[in-house]
């Protein structure tokens, strides 16, 4: 490996430095080389990789400005890249061409993303537009790209962000643009807005900043990270509910709606506190302006915001503006939200209580406290996601219950929710019995399962972040 610089993505020359299962992943890189030659009659100049992630605790709080506690998975998205001679085309292909069809884009014209057609290459194009926007004076060149991903799709472990992040890294590095990991994370957050996601930055930050063997407490504005050493004698098990939830497809009535609800809750709470609310956009802004503790904000939210849902007109009346102005000022630009009713008290209560749990989890790890305590925080997080934030689903609730009954200290949904994965904290000496019970109680009752068990039920440890990969045998 090159000399290590912690500020920029690392250049890796041996996949054993990245993956526990080096043999399986060496086969992935070999397939990329072979398929790349078949498609483009060329060899990759570089590989780039970006991992998926799992969030231990801190769900739906990052876009309100509050900290999260994720770690990176070994599962990742890889792209092989080379320059092509056309000087006009960005050629995008996937090794799984049956599921992910190819696309070629004319880069002599401004690249447009058709939001009416959900296609996986939209995420790649979002990376292209994001890097172009961040470096407007750079002359961008034609590229051949071939992707390979094993991050479960629509499962709450950040497959879409891994695709955006790896594309952003590839486009910047291929054009000799030097960005730090933090720069790349911030650019990638803006990239995702080109595909209609108003995210908070967790997925992108951990994809670039992750380190082996440690979770990260990530705080925002400014971006700060702190290593959190996880307890020994336990395993983290990921189990996929196999209910797919795509943030782009469902954003108008799920994910982006929650962004709007949290924003409106912040504005209205600030106004009711008698403070200057006109510049408020996030719940953390309420805390910074009011100097109230999280505990005090929980009490004030219960006191000042009505427990019933607000209509658009009610919120507009409270803020003394028209509904049209409300939408213009507080709904994300270019992102559709169809709801007419907004649950403000419940959403704010989740954010404030979940943030407390994030800090308590990190402190418990620092104090080397019992995994039982960590499990209780994870359980409380899930119940809040299900009841206050309403981002769970019957399958996730059933799966977490099965996991607790099977011996997990704690089990909770991870990711955006409305489907996707569960993370469980399990005693390592009970791991085999735990996974067997999950198979019997949950997966055996489903009609169709993926061919590879490792794609929906696996134990995991924290992995490293995004990197450039240069293998000795990748060139002819």
């Amino acid at each position: 490996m090159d000399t290590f610089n912690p500020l920029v993505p690392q250049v890796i020359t041996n996949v054993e430095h990245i993956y526990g299962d080096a043999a399986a992943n060496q086969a992935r890189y070999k397939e990329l080389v072979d398929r790349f030659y078949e498609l483009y009659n060329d060899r990759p100049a570089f590989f780039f990789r970006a991992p998926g992630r799992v969030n231990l605790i801190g769900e739906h709080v990052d876009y309100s400005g509050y900290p999260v506690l994720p770690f990176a998975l070994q599962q990742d998205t890889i792209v092989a890249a080379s320059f092509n001679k056309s000087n006009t085309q960005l050629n995008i292909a996937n090794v799984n061409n049956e599921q992910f069809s190819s696309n070629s884009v004319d880069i002599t014209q401004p690249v447009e993303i058709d939001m009416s057609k959900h296609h996986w290459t939209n995420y790649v194009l979002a990376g292209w537009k994001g890097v172009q926007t961040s470096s407007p004076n750079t002359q961008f060149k034609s590229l051949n790209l071939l992707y390979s991903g094993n991050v479960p799709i629509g499962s709450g472990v950040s497959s879409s962000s891994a695709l955006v992040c790896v594309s952003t890294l590839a486009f910047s590095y291929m054009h000799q643009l030097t960005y730090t990991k933090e720069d790349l994370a911030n650019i990638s957050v803006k990239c995702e807005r080109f595909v209609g996601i108003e995210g908070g930055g967790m997925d992108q930050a951990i994809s670039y900043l992750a380190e082996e063997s440690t979770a990260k407490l990530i705080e925002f504005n400014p971006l700060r990270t702190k290593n959190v050493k996880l307890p020994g004698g336990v395993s983290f098990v990921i189990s996929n509910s196999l209910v797919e939830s795509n943030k782009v497809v469902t954003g108008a009535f799920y994910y982006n709606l929650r962004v709007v609800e949290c924003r409106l809750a912040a504005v209205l709470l600030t106004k009711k506190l008698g403070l200057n609310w006109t510049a408020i956009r996030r719940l953390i802004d309420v805390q910074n302006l009011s100097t109230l503790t999280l505990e005090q904000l929980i009490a004030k939210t219960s006191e000042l915001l009505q427990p019933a849902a607000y209509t658009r007109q009610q919120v507009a009346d409270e803020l003394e503006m028209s509904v049209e102005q409300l939408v213009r000022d507080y709904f994300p630009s270019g992102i559709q939200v169809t709801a007419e009713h907004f649950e403000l008290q419940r959403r704010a209560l989740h954010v404030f209580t979940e943030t407390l749990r994030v800090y308590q989890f990190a402190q418990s790890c620092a104090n080397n406290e019992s995994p039982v305590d960590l499990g209780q925080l994870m359980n409380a997080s899930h119940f809040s996601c299900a009841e206050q934030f309403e981002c769970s689903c019957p399958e996730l609730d059933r799966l977490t219950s099965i996991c607790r009954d099977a011996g997990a200290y704690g089990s909770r949904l991870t990711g955006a929710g409305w489907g996707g994965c569960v993370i469980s904290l399990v005693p390592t000496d009970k791991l085999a019995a735990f996974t067997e019970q999950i198979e019997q109680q949950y997966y055996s009752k489903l009609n169709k399962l993926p061919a590879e068990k490792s794609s929906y039920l696996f134990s995991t440890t924290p992995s490293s972040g995004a990197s450039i990969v240069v293998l000795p045998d990748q060139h002819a």
Side-chain angles (χ1 to χ4, degrees):
M1 285 185 290
D2 289 1
T3 302
F4 179 64
N5 181 346
L7 298 180
V8 298
Q10 201 168 5
V11 178
I12 305 293
T13 57
N14 190 329
V15 298
E16 291 181 356
H17 293 301
I18 311 171
Y19 307 101
D21 186 355
N25 285 284
Q26 283 170 341
R28 290 176 68 204
Y29 284 88
K30 184 179 186 305
E31 180 186 24
L32 273 167
V33 171
D34 294 343
R35 291 289 300 278
F36 199 93
Y37 190 80
E38 290 175 13
L39 280 171
Y40 302 123
N41 194 30
D42 195 6
R43 302 284 178 177
F46 298 99
F47 298 104
F48 305 87
R49 66 170 293 273
R53 63 98 188 95
V54 64
N55 192 22
L56 282 171
I57 198 163
E59 223 59 77
H60 286 281
V61 300
D62 56 338
Y63 52 79
S64 288
Y66 282 112
V68 291
L69 216 166
F71 64 78
L73 299 173
Q74 284 196 351
Q75 285 87 341
D76 60 10
T77 298
I78 310 168
V79 59
S82 74
F83 293 106
N84 69 47
K85 298 176 183 178
S86 72
N87 295 321
T88 62
Q89 294 295 118
L90 183 67
N91 297 319
I92 311 167
N94 196 297
V95 293
N96 185 0
N97 191 56
E98 291 185 4
Q99 185 176 358
F100 303 105
S101 58
S102 301
N103 191 14
S104 290
V105 179
D106 182 358
I107 61 169
T108 63
Q109 304 296 322
V111 171
E112 299 297 333
I113 299 173
D114 187 351
M115 294 288 291
S116 68
K117 296 180 181 177
H118 176 62
H119 196 267
W120 74 276
T121 57
N122 286 356
Y123 295 104
V124 179
L125 298 179
W128 181 267
K129 286 177 69 71
V131 177
Q132 279 191 321
T133 301
S134 70
S135 185
N137 296 322
T138 299
Q139 182 67 41
F140 282 75
K141 301 177 182 179
S142 306
L143 296 173
N144 294 325
L145 305 169
L146 180 62
Y147 287 81
S148 170
N150 62 3
V151 183
I153 297 168
S155 301
V157 289
S158 198
S159 60
S160 57
S161 291
L163 180 53
V164 172
C165 288
V166 78
S167 301
T168 302
L169 176 60
F171 297 143
S172 59
Y173 193 86
M174 293 291 284
H175 291 94
Q176 299 182 320
L177 300 172
T178 302
Y179 292 120
T180 67
K181 296 175 185 179
E182 291 186 7
D183 291 336
L184 289 163
N186 290 326
I187 292 169
S188 296
V189 171
K190 295 173 184 175
C191 290
E192 292 211 18
R193 292 176 186 153
F194 291 120
V195 288
I197 297 299
E198 191 78 9
M202 169 180 65
D203 298 348
Q204 300 80 5
I206 194 62
S207 191
Y208 291 111
L209 297 167
E211 297 179 49
E212 284 187 74
S213 305
T214 184
K216 290 276 188 181
L217 178 69
I218 302 176
E219 297 177 301
F220 302 96
N221 303 113
L223 184 63
R224 301 182 299 272
T225 64
K226 179 181 178 182
N227 288 346
V228 176
K229 184 179 179 181
L230 300 172
V234 297
S235 296
F236 294 95
V237 178
I238 310 300
S239 46
N240 191 341
S241 70
L242 299 178
V243 176
E244 185 172 340
S245 179
N246 188 298
K247 284 192 290 188
V248 171
V249 175
T250 64
F253 48 91
Y254 282 158
Y255 188 91
N256 292 331
L257 171 57
R258 295 300 184 272
V259 175
V260 170
E261 287 178 316
C262 290
R263 185 172 295 175
L264 296 179
V267 176
L268 191 53
L269 183 58
T270 306
K271 186 173 188 293
K272 286 180 175 292
L273 286 168
L275 301 171
N276 184 0
W277 52 274
T278 54
I280 296 296
R281 288 296 183 275
R282 302 169 306 160
L283 286 164
I284 198 171
D285 299 332
V286 187
Q287 184 173 20
N288 291 338
L289 186 61
S290 68
T291 69
L292 295 172
T293 65
L294 287 166
E295 291 86 351
Q296 290 170 327
L297 282 168
I298 291 166
K300 286 295 184 183
T301 298
S302 298
E303 173 192 341
L304 298 175
L305 297 183
Q306 69 183 35
Y310 290 79
T311 65
R312 289 192 185 210
Q313 189 64 58
Q314 281 180 301
V315 179
D317 290 345
E318 291 272 9
L319 299 179
E320 303 174 69
M321 63 178 61
S322 67
V323 170
E324 292 73 22
Q325 185 181 353
L326 178 77
V327 172
R328 185 174 63 251
D329 290 354
Y330 295 106
F331 286 40
S333 176
I335 294 175
Q336 186 182 25
V337 172
T338 57
E340 294 295 332
H341 294 82
F342 305 92
E343 295 278 0
L344 304 190
Q345 186 197 81
R346 293 163 70 190
R347 307 309 183 230
L349 285 174
H350 166 77
V351 171
F352 293 138
T353 59
E354 183 76 345
T355 300
L356 273 176
R357 287 186 285 270
V358 171
Y359 285 122
Q360 289 165 354
F361 195 102
Q363 191 60 52
S364 292
C365 289
N367 294 342
N368 201 26
E369 294 176 9
S370 168
V372 173
D373 298 327
L374 301 179
Q376 289 174 347
L377 291 169
M378 293 173 69
N379 291 338
S381 172
H382 181 81
F383 297 139
S384 182
C385 285
E387 296 164 11
Q388 299 280 46
F389 217 75
E390 296 182 284
C391 62
S392 187
C393 66
E395 293 85 355
L396 286 171
D397 293 339
R398 186 169 79 252
L399 184 52
T400 54
S401 178
I402 290 170
C403 289
R404 292 184 203 103
D405 291 343
Y409 292 123
S411 186
R412 61 177 296 276
L413 68 84
T414 185
W418 299 289
C421 286
V422 162
I423 182 169
S424 300
L425 181 64
V426 181
T428 300
D429 59 4
K430 296 181 180 178
L431 184 58
F434 174 84
T435 55
E436 181 180 351
Q437 191 164 335
I438 303 309
E439 288 190 80
Q440 291 176 353
Q441 296 295 317
Y442 188 81
Y443 293 111
S444 68
K445 302 184 186 305
L446 301 182
N447 292 327
K448 188 176 181 181
L449 294 174
E452 294 292 331
K453 176 182 170 183
S454 61
S455 70
Y456 62 86
L457 180 62
F458 56 91
S459 62
T460 187
T461 56
S463 185
S464 57
S467 56
I468 302 102
V469 182
V470 181
L471 302 180
D473 58 350
Q474 74 187 61
H475 298 289

